[in-house]
Amino acid sequence: HPPLHDGGSRIKLYVLEMQPLLGSSYHGVSLPRPSPAEQPAPHPPHLPQPVLVYRGEECCARVEELQPGGAYQFRAQAVNGAGMGRWSGWSTLGTAADVPLPPPPPALAATPTATTLRVGWSAPDARGGRITG
């Protein structure tokens, strides 16, 4: 939703930044760089650097190439004829887990007997979920 107050000048565009939380990753496509006038304020060095994921006129953006089961923080900013507004607070959002990748092919886990095989395999990448059962 647009801000309640536009500062007396029509909003030209919105900026959306994202940062992965611990254990999440982002494999994004190259994104447009902000102009020098739109550079964000300095960021504390102990936190991951935010990534610009959207600049445009809409109040909605599709952020792709995220990790299944990942957690991400987002913040938004509005820009009008007078300049850049303050950043919103951070919101924490997460992607859904995905089905796991297939495990490697099963192999013998012990010497076979005349009537028994012990078969074993490795656990697959759970892709953000928990393997159950």
Side-chain angles (χ1 to χ4, degrees):
H1 302 290
L4 297 175
H5 181 61
D6 64 9
S9 176
R10 185 182 74 76
I11 293 175
K12 293 181 176 183
L13 64 98
Y14 296 94
V15 179
L16 180 68
E17 285 188 341
M18 176 200 74
Q19 61 187 19
L21 293 179
L22 187 62
S24 299
S25 63
Y26 174 63
H27 306 286
V29 296
S30 66
L31 300 163
R33 304 280 303 157
S35 70
E38 295 173 344
Q39 289 294 327
H43 190 69
H46 64 282
L47 295 175
Q49 199 67 326
V51 175
L52 173 69
V53 292
Y54 176 76
R55 288 180 68 218
E57 297 177 6
E58 300 296 321
C59 290
C60 185
R62 182 181 180 100
V63 182
E64 298 179 327
E65 299 187 38
L66 301 176
Q67 176 184 341
Y72 302 87
Q73 288 188 314
F74 292 89
R75 68 179 181 175
Q77 181 182 52
V79 180
N80 69 10
M84 297 167 35
R86 291 183 311 207
W87 285 102
S88 70
W90 288 99
S91 63
T92 301
L93 306 170
T95 57
D98 200 356
V99 297
L101 295 172
L108 281 175
T111 304
T113 69
T115 60
T116 307
L117 290 174
R118 182 159 171 84
V119 180
W121 56 92
S122 301
D125 180 350
R127 295 176 51 172
R130 200 177 101 230
I131 297 176
T132 60

